[in-house]
Amino acid sequence: MKVTYYLLFLLILVSCKSSEEFLDNTPEIDLFNYAYFNQEDSLVLGKTIIGLTELGNSYDAQSIRIPISYPGVESITTFFSKDSIITDLLFTYQSTFEFKGTLKGYIDDFGKPEVVESDDLITYKWRDQKTKFDVLSSFSNGDTLNYSILSLSNSNRFQTRSYEYLKKFRKDPDMYDLLATSKIWSIIGGIDEGLKMGVSSFVEVEDSSRIFDLIKANFKDIALFSYSKKYLDENISEIEFEGISEFLFEEWFSEVQYRMDDYTPELSIEEYAATLENSPPEQLRVLTILRFVRANNAGSFFLELEEANARSVERIRASIEGNEISSTAMSVAERQQKIQQYEFGTAVSFLWALEILSNDEINRISELYESSFGKLYVDSYSKSLVFAYEKATDKLIEEIENKN
């Protein structure tokens, strides 16, 4: 299932024929000259880079490596001029990525490319008035690196295309990548809207615009990502990170993750759920999915996010009204019932989304999450999001009280 992240890039991921089968009559359209980063901030060629400097690692003073979780894509590095104008976007692809599928998608959209071949490099070139876009494979001693480069027409940053030059943009996974792999972008994208709904029940109409603007500013995707990473940096040791990385960035796991993310079921989730009463899945499939749900600790995870949201809403209410913070703790039985409800809902979602995977593949993933490092990974990114809620709420309340 192709999940909608706020890191949406215009990359086409479909099957492909060999380069000899390129069609001359492929419809041509203008190349894209921008790529959206999220709802508020964007990576736009020719525009000033906005709000991203705290997000990724830099190779130098004029580049930022953006951690993402997108089918087949390993990373995106954005390059900018001395006056912070974005000039180039470099996409690196995982070794298991179906590279020919990328080519077929681009050919369908942009038409037949110019193909330039040498002993150690194949480059597929597209051009429009503002943009140049190259998809390339670079070779050395049996190893292949796959990239694409989206640039302004007047940029000369990537005149050098050698294997060794391109390889420097590949690196071992770091904490940014670990967090991105957790699908955090799809989770944090709507947190501000959830808070607005909770706050709207008590905030005065004349104050609502100001409070909503503060929520939007303090619960932006990038801010929440940064808080979550801070938690992981402080709570996962180097040895623990290496243990998590062994399975999380292992080639087989990356390949399965790509297939999961790229798969689009024929039915919508609502249509699928409506079929379950009359056409229930086999018991073995249900048990396999439930194991996967529990290995991901999904029930507790969503309950913790619900509670974090409720705490934030209550803290905002107390700050605005000048009252004490009140809270009502759930009993053990109530919590267990909530967890089971979330598990059931998540199981239906995974039954629908993971149709592309066999029971054996799902069980193998569950085994990884059930391992000691797998449990640490699931527990850590869950806690990192709760931490992000708390830190963003701290800053929000500080701003509310300073402006009262």
PDB file of all heavy atoms in Angstrom, residues 1 23 50 64 119 125 133 138 180 219 226 251 266 309-310 313 321 325 341-342 344 349 365 383 385 396 400:
ATOM      1  N   MET A   1       0.846  -1.189   0.000  1.00  0.00           N
ATOM      2  CA  MET A   1       0.000   0.000   0.000  1.00  0.00           C
ATOM      3  C   MET A   1       0.876   1.231   0.000  1.00  0.00           C
ATOM      4  O   MET A   1       1.776   1.356   0.809  1.00  0.00           O
ATOM      5  CB  MET A   1      -0.879   0.038   1.247  1.00  0.00           C
ATOM      6  CG  MET A   1      -1.736   1.289   1.352  1.00  0.00           C
ATOM      7  SD  MET A   1      -2.551   1.418   2.949  1.00  0.00           S
ATOM      8  CE  MET A   1      -1.160   1.605   4.030  1.00  0.00           C
ATOM      9  N   LEU A  23       9.851   3.326 -26.147  1.00  0.00           N
ATOM     10  CA  LEU A  23       8.911   3.608 -27.231  1.00  0.00           C
ATOM     11  C   LEU A  23       9.063   5.047 -27.709  1.00  0.00           C
ATOM     12  O   LEU A  23       9.113   5.982 -26.922  1.00  0.00           O
ATOM     13  CB  LEU A  23       7.471   3.375 -26.735  1.00  0.00           C
ATOM     14  CG  LEU A  23       7.147   1.940 -26.280  1.00  0.00           C
ATOM     15  CD1 LEU A  23       5.716   1.891 -25.785  1.00  0.00           C
ATOM     16  CD2 LEU A  23       7.348   0.951 -27.413  1.00  0.00           C
ATOM     17  N   ILE A  50      13.619  26.310   3.259  1.00  0.00           N
ATOM     18  CA  ILE A  50      12.821  26.762   4.398  1.00  0.00           C
ATOM     19  C   ILE A  50      12.786  25.704   5.491  1.00  0.00           C
ATOM     20  O   ILE A  50      12.372  24.574   5.254  1.00  0.00           O
ATOM     21  CB  ILE A  50      11.366  27.070   3.970  1.00  0.00           C
ATOM     22  CG1 ILE A  50      11.350  28.148   2.877  1.00  0.00           C
ATOM     23  CG2 ILE A  50      10.527  27.526   5.163  1.00  0.00           C
ATOM     24  CD1 ILE A  50       9.969  28.360   2.275  1.00  0.00           C
ATOM     25  N   ILE A  64      22.019  19.364   2.623  1.00  0.00           N
ATOM     26  CA  ILE A  64      21.365  18.686   3.743  1.00  0.00           C
ATOM     27  C   ILE A  64      20.825  17.360   3.237  1.00  0.00           C
ATOM     28  O   ILE A  64      20.130  17.302   2.222  1.00  0.00           O
ATOM     29  CB  ILE A  64      20.201  19.513   4.325  1.00  0.00           C
ATOM     30  CG1 ILE A  64      20.699  20.864   4.860  1.00  0.00           C
ATOM     31  CG2 ILE A  64      19.498  18.745   5.440  1.00  0.00           C
ATOM     32  CD1 ILE A  64      19.583  21.768   5.322  1.00  0.00           C
ATOM     33  N   ASP A 119      31.928   3.223 -20.120  1.00  0.00           N
ATOM     34  CA  ASP A 119      32.315   1.951 -19.511  1.00  0.00           C
ATOM     35  C   ASP A 119      31.773   1.796 -18.098  1.00  0.00           C
ATOM     36  O   ASP A 119      31.480   0.680 -17.656  1.00  0.00           O
ATOM     37  CB  ASP A 119      33.847   1.817 -19.488  1.00  0.00           C
ATOM     38  CG  ASP A 119      34.431   1.648 -20.878  1.00  0.00           C
ATOM     39  OD1 ASP A 119      33.667   1.241 -21.785  1.00  0.00           O
ATOM     40  OD2 ASP A 119      35.636   1.926 -21.046  1.00  0.00           O
ATOM     41  N   LYS A 125      18.735  11.111 -19.747  1.00  0.00           N
ATOM     42  CA  LYS A 125      18.608  12.547 -19.584  1.00  0.00           C
ATOM     43  C   LYS A 125      17.268  13.076 -20.089  1.00  0.00           C
ATOM     44  O   LYS A 125      16.819  12.707 -21.169  1.00  0.00           O
ATOM     45  CB  LYS A 125      19.726  13.266 -20.354  1.00  0.00           C
ATOM     46  CG  LYS A 125      21.133  12.980 -19.862  1.00  0.00           C
ATOM     47  CD  LYS A 125      22.143  13.821 -20.649  1.00  0.00           C
ATOM     48  CE  LYS A 125      23.548  13.663 -20.095  1.00  0.00           C
ATOM     49  NZ  LYS A 125      24.500  14.564 -20.800  1.00  0.00           N
ATOM     50  N   PHE A 133      16.930  16.707 -15.546  1.00  0.00           N
ATOM     51  CA  PHE A 133      16.686  15.537 -14.702  1.00  0.00           C
ATOM     52  C   PHE A 133      17.419  14.346 -15.300  1.00  0.00           C
ATOM     53  O   PHE A 133      17.195  13.985 -16.452  1.00  0.00           O
ATOM     54  CB  PHE A 133      15.187  15.246 -14.629  1.00  0.00           C
ATOM     55  CG  PHE A 133      14.846  14.078 -13.749  1.00  0.00           C
ATOM     56  CD1 PHE A 133      15.211  14.058 -12.411  1.00  0.00           C
ATOM     57  CD2 PHE A 133      14.147  12.989 -14.259  1.00  0.00           C
ATOM     58  CE1 PHE A 133      14.894  12.975 -11.598  1.00  0.00           C
ATOM     59  CE2 PHE A 133      13.824  11.911 -13.457  1.00  0.00           C
ATOM     60  CZ  PHE A 133      14.198  11.902 -12.123  1.00  0.00           C
ATOM     61  N   SER A 138      25.927   3.951 -11.958  1.00  0.00           N
ATOM     62  CA  SER A 138      27.387   4.053 -11.994  1.00  0.00           C
ATOM     63  C   SER A 138      27.971   2.736 -11.514  1.00  0.00           C
ATOM     64  O   SER A 138      27.478   2.138 -10.547  1.00  0.00           O
ATOM     65  CB  SER A 138      27.850   5.207 -11.095  1.00  0.00           C
ATOM     66  OG  SER A 138      29.244   5.393 -11.194  1.00  0.00           O
ATOM     67  N   ALA A 180      13.033   7.792  10.503  1.00  0.00           N
ATOM     68  CA  ALA A 180      12.246   7.884   9.276  1.00  0.00           C
ATOM     69  C   ALA A 180      11.624   6.545   8.916  1.00  0.00           C
ATOM     70  O   ALA A 180      10.493   6.481   8.422  1.00  0.00           O
ATOM     71  CB  ALA A 180      13.122   8.379   8.133  1.00  0.00           C
ATOM     72  N   PHE A 219       3.631  22.468  16.479  1.00  0.00           N
ATOM     73  CA  PHE A 219       3.461  21.045  16.182  1.00  0.00           C
ATOM     74  C   PHE A 219       3.707  20.748  14.704  1.00  0.00           C
ATOM     75  O   PHE A 219       3.142  19.809  14.161  1.00  0.00           O
ATOM     76  CB  PHE A 219       2.069  20.575  16.609  1.00  0.00           C
ATOM     77  CG  PHE A 219       1.954  20.336  18.087  1.00  0.00           C
ATOM     78  CD1 PHE A 219       1.745  21.397  18.956  1.00  0.00           C
ATOM     79  CD2 PHE A 219       2.095  19.066  18.627  1.00  0.00           C
ATOM     80  CE1 PHE A 219       1.653  21.200  20.319  1.00  0.00           C
ATOM     81  CE2 PHE A 219       2.006  18.844  19.995  1.00  0.00           C
ATOM     82  CZ  PHE A 219       1.786  19.922  20.846  1.00  0.00           C
ATOM     83  N   SER A 226      12.306  16.510  15.083  1.00  0.00           N
ATOM     84  CA  SER A 226      13.523  16.885  15.805  1.00  0.00           C
ATOM     85  C   SER A 226      13.453  16.482  17.271  1.00  0.00           C
ATOM     86  O   SER A 226      14.435  15.993  17.842  1.00  0.00           O
ATOM     87  CB  SER A 226      13.763  18.393  15.677  1.00  0.00           C
ATOM     88  OG  SER A 226      13.955  18.767  14.339  1.00  0.00           O
ATOM     89  N   GLU A 251      18.998  -6.034   3.732  1.00  0.00           N
ATOM     90  CA  GLU A 251      18.515  -5.959   2.360  1.00  0.00           C
ATOM     91  C   GLU A 251      17.143  -6.614   2.195  1.00  0.00           C
ATOM     92  O   GLU A 251      16.252  -6.053   1.553  1.00  0.00           O
ATOM     93  CB  GLU A 251      19.532  -6.610   1.418  1.00  0.00           C
ATOM     94  CG  GLU A 251      19.188  -6.441  -0.041  1.00  0.00           C
ATOM     95  CD  GLU A 251      20.340  -6.822  -0.954  1.00  0.00           C
ATOM     96  OE1 GLU A 251      21.494  -6.500  -0.629  1.00  0.00           O
ATOM     97  OE2 GLU A 251      20.077  -7.459  -1.987  1.00  0.00           O
ATOM     98  N   GLU A 266      -6.892  -3.281  -4.331  1.00  0.00           N
ATOM     99  CA  GLU A 266      -7.960  -2.948  -5.269  1.00  0.00           C
ATOM    100  C   GLU A 266      -9.114  -2.232  -4.566  1.00  0.00           C
ATOM    101  O   GLU A 266      -9.726  -1.317  -5.113  1.00  0.00           O
ATOM    102  CB  GLU A 266      -8.478  -4.217  -5.947  1.00  0.00           C
ATOM    103  CG  GLU A 266      -7.463  -4.883  -6.874  1.00  0.00           C
ATOM    104  CD  GLU A 266      -8.048  -6.100  -7.564  1.00  0.00           C
ATOM    105  OE1 GLU A 266      -9.261  -6.358  -7.386  1.00  0.00           O
ATOM    106  OE2 GLU A 266      -7.297  -6.785  -8.274  1.00  0.00           O
ATOM    107  N   ASN A 309      -2.123  13.073  23.486  1.00  0.00           N
ATOM    108  CA  ASN A 309      -2.963  14.139  22.936  1.00  0.00           C
ATOM    109  C   ASN A 309      -3.887  14.714  24.008  1.00  0.00           C
ATOM    110  O   ASN A 309      -4.040  15.937  24.123  1.00  0.00           O
ATOM    111  CB  ASN A 309      -3.782  13.594  21.774  1.00  0.00           C
ATOM    112  CG  ASN A 309      -4.593  14.666  21.077  1.00  0.00           C
ATOM    113  OD1 ASN A 309      -4.082  15.414  20.259  1.00  0.00           O
ATOM    114  ND2 ASN A 309      -5.883  14.741  21.405  1.00  0.00           N
ATOM    115  N   ALA A 310      -4.478  13.830  24.804  1.00  0.00           N
ATOM    116  CA  ALA A 310      -5.391  14.287  25.863  1.00  0.00           C
ATOM    117  C   ALA A 310      -4.646  15.130  26.896  1.00  0.00           C
ATOM    118  O   ALA A 310      -5.167  16.152  27.375  1.00  0.00           O
ATOM    119  CB  ALA A 310      -6.059  13.088  26.528  1.00  0.00           C
ATOM    120  N   VAL A 313      -3.985  18.591  25.378  1.00  0.00           N
ATOM    121  CA  VAL A 313      -5.213  19.394  25.370  1.00  0.00           C
ATOM    122  C   VAL A 313      -5.516  19.926  26.762  1.00  0.00           C
ATOM    123  O   VAL A 313      -5.859  21.113  26.936  1.00  0.00           O
ATOM    124  CB  VAL A 313      -6.404  18.565  24.838  1.00  0.00           C
ATOM    125  CG1 VAL A 313      -7.725  19.299  25.074  1.00  0.00           C
ATOM    126  CG2 VAL A 313      -6.230  18.260  23.353  1.00  0.00           C
ATOM    127  N   GLU A 321      -7.088  28.964  30.834  1.00  0.00           N
ATOM    128  CA  GLU A 321      -8.082  29.310  31.850  1.00  0.00           C
ATOM    129  C   GLU A 321      -7.463  29.649  33.197  1.00  0.00           C
ATOM    130  O   GLU A 321      -8.153  30.131  34.099  1.00  0.00           O
ATOM    131  CB  GLU A 321      -9.081  28.159  32.012  1.00  0.00           C
ATOM    132  CG  GLU A 321      -9.874  27.879  30.730  1.00  0.00           C
ATOM    133  CD  GLU A 321     -10.812  26.696  30.871  1.00  0.00           C
ATOM    134  OE1 GLU A 321     -10.780  26.032  31.930  1.00  0.00           O
ATOM    135  OE2 GLU A 321     -11.572  26.431  29.915  1.00  0.00           O
ATOM    136  N   ILE A 325      -4.218  21.586  36.343  1.00  0.00           N
ATOM    137  CA  ILE A 325      -4.359  20.490  35.388  1.00  0.00           C
ATOM    138  C   ILE A 325      -5.111  19.346  36.046  1.00  0.00           C
ATOM    139  O   ILE A 325      -4.779  18.922  37.158  1.00  0.00           O
ATOM    140  CB  ILE A 325      -2.982  20.001  34.923  1.00  0.00           C
ATOM    141  CG1 ILE A 325      -2.254  21.128  34.179  1.00  0.00           C
ATOM    142  CG2 ILE A 325      -3.109  18.774  34.032  1.00  0.00           C
ATOM    143  CD1 ILE A 325      -0.837  20.793  33.816  1.00  0.00           C
ATOM    144  N   GLN A 341      -9.187  -2.815  21.444  1.00  0.00           N
ATOM    145  CA  GLN A 341      -9.904  -2.106  20.378  1.00  0.00           C
ATOM    146  C   GLN A 341      -8.936  -1.604  19.316  1.00  0.00           C
ATOM    147  O   GLN A 341      -9.192  -1.727  18.108  1.00  0.00           O
ATOM    148  CB  GLN A 341     -10.700  -0.936  20.975  1.00  0.00           C
ATOM    149  CG  GLN A 341     -11.887  -1.366  21.810  1.00  0.00           C
ATOM    150  CD  GLN A 341     -12.544  -0.198  22.529  1.00  0.00           C
ATOM    151  OE1 GLN A 341     -11.995   0.908  22.581  1.00  0.00           O
ATOM    152  NE2 GLN A 341     -13.712  -0.436  23.108  1.00  0.00           N
ATOM    153  N   TYR A 342      -7.834  -1.037  19.752  1.00  0.00           N
ATOM    154  CA  TYR A 342      -6.834  -0.555  18.800  1.00  0.00           C
ATOM    155  C   TYR A 342      -6.200  -1.723  18.039  1.00  0.00           C
ATOM    156  O   TYR A 342      -5.925  -1.609  16.839  1.00  0.00           O
ATOM    157  CB  TYR A 342      -5.758   0.250  19.519  1.00  0.00           C
ATOM    158  CG  TYR A 342      -6.126   1.699  19.753  1.00  0.00           C
ATOM    159  CD1 TYR A 342      -6.100   2.252  21.032  1.00  0.00           C
ATOM    160  CD2 TYR A 342      -6.483   2.517  18.683  1.00  0.00           C
ATOM    161  CE1 TYR A 342      -6.430   3.583  21.243  1.00  0.00           C
ATOM    162  CE2 TYR A 342      -6.822   3.854  18.887  1.00  0.00           C
ATOM    163  CZ  TYR A 342      -6.785   4.377  20.165  1.00  0.00           C
ATOM    164  OH  TYR A 342      -7.118   5.701  20.372  1.00  0.00           O
ATOM    165  N   PHE A 344      -7.624  -4.533  17.266  1.00  0.00           N
ATOM    166  CA  PHE A 344      -8.598  -5.015  16.284  1.00  0.00           C
ATOM    167  C   PHE A 344      -8.620  -4.100  15.062  1.00  0.00           C
ATOM    168  O   PHE A 344      -8.579  -4.559  13.915  1.00  0.00           O
ATOM    169  CB  PHE A 344      -9.995  -5.084  16.915  1.00  0.00           C
ATOM    170  CG  PHE A 344     -11.067  -5.477  15.936  1.00  0.00           C
ATOM    171  CD1 PHE A 344     -11.227  -6.797  15.542  1.00  0.00           C
ATOM    172  CD2 PHE A 344     -11.914  -4.510  15.394  1.00  0.00           C
ATOM    173  CE1 PHE A 344     -12.213  -7.154  14.620  1.00  0.00           C
ATOM    174  CE2 PHE A 344     -12.896  -4.851  14.481  1.00  0.00           C
ATOM    175  CZ  PHE A 344     -13.048  -6.179  14.096  1.00  0.00           C
ATOM    176  N   SER A 349      -6.743  -3.126   9.312  1.00  0.00           N
ATOM    177  CA  SER A 349      -5.931  -2.308   8.412  1.00  0.00           C
ATOM    178  C   SER A 349      -4.798  -3.115   7.789  1.00  0.00           C
ATOM    179  O   SER A 349      -4.535  -3.018   6.583  1.00  0.00           O
ATOM    180  CB  SER A 349      -5.362  -1.108   9.178  1.00  0.00           C
ATOM    181  OG  SER A 349      -4.516  -0.345   8.360  1.00  0.00           O
ATOM    182  N   ILE A 365       8.927 -11.024   9.572  1.00  0.00           N
ATOM    183  CA  ILE A 365       9.015  -9.647  10.072  1.00  0.00           C
ATOM    184  C   ILE A 365       8.659  -9.603  11.559  1.00  0.00           C
ATOM    185  O   ILE A 365       9.312  -8.927  12.353  1.00  0.00           O
ATOM    186  CB  ILE A 365       8.076  -8.722   9.278  1.00  0.00           C
ATOM    187  CG1 ILE A 365       8.463  -8.701   7.803  1.00  0.00           C
ATOM    188  CG2 ILE A 365       8.120  -7.302   9.845  1.00  0.00           C
ATOM    189  CD1 ILE A 365       7.476  -7.963   6.927  1.00  0.00           C
ATOM    190  N   LYS A 383       8.020   5.889  22.418  1.00  0.00           N
ATOM    191  CA  LYS A 383       8.303   6.850  23.489  1.00  0.00           C
ATOM    192  C   LYS A 383       8.807   8.170  22.931  1.00  0.00           C
ATOM    193  O   LYS A 383       8.561   9.237  23.505  1.00  0.00           O
ATOM    194  CB  LYS A 383       9.310   6.262  24.466  1.00  0.00           C
ATOM    195  CG  LYS A 383       8.736   5.139  25.327  1.00  0.00           C
ATOM    196  CD  LYS A 383       9.776   4.570  26.278  1.00  0.00           C
ATOM    197  CE  LYS A 383       9.157   3.487  27.166  1.00  0.00           C
ATOM    198  NZ  LYS A 383      10.169   2.852  28.059  1.00  0.00           N
ATOM    199  N   LEU A 385       7.800   9.667  20.286  1.00  0.00           N
ATOM    200  CA  LEU A 385       6.667  10.475  19.846  1.00  0.00           C
ATOM    201  C   LEU A 385       5.928  11.095  21.034  1.00  0.00           C
ATOM    202  O   LEU A 385       5.480  12.237  20.965  1.00  0.00           O
ATOM    203  CB  LEU A 385       5.714   9.627  19.016  1.00  0.00           C
ATOM    204  CG  LEU A 385       6.157   9.364  17.583  1.00  0.00           C
ATOM    205  CD1 LEU A 385       5.270   8.316  16.921  1.00  0.00           C
ATOM    206  CD2 LEU A 385       6.135  10.640  16.761  1.00  0.00           C
ATOM    207  N   LEU A 396       4.605  25.456  23.385  1.00  0.00           N
ATOM    208  CA  LEU A 396       3.336  26.102  23.088  1.00  0.00           C
ATOM    209  C   LEU A 396       2.808  26.852  24.300  1.00  0.00           C
ATOM    210  O   LEU A 396       2.393  28.021  24.201  1.00  0.00           O
ATOM    211  CB  LEU A 396       2.324  25.055  22.625  1.00  0.00           C
ATOM    212  CG  LEU A 396       0.863  25.496  22.488  1.00  0.00           C
ATOM    213  CD1 LEU A 396       0.725  26.589  21.438  1.00  0.00           C
ATOM    214  CD2 LEU A 396      -0.028  24.314  22.158  1.00  0.00           C
ATOM    215  N   ILE A 400       1.932  30.782  24.893  1.00  0.00           N
ATOM    216  CA  ILE A 400       0.591  31.252  25.296  1.00  0.00           C
ATOM    217  C   ILE A 400       0.692  32.162  26.498  1.00  0.00           C
ATOM    218  O   ILE A 400       0.093  33.244  26.535  1.00  0.00           O
ATOM    219  CB  ILE A 400      -0.325  30.044  25.598  1.00  0.00           C
ATOM    220  CG1 ILE A 400      -0.678  29.287  24.320  1.00  0.00           C
ATOM    221  CG2 ILE A 400      -1.608  30.518  26.306  1.00  0.00           C
ATOM    222  CD1 ILE A 400      -1.475  28.011  24.557  1.00  0.00           C
TER     223      ILE A 400
END
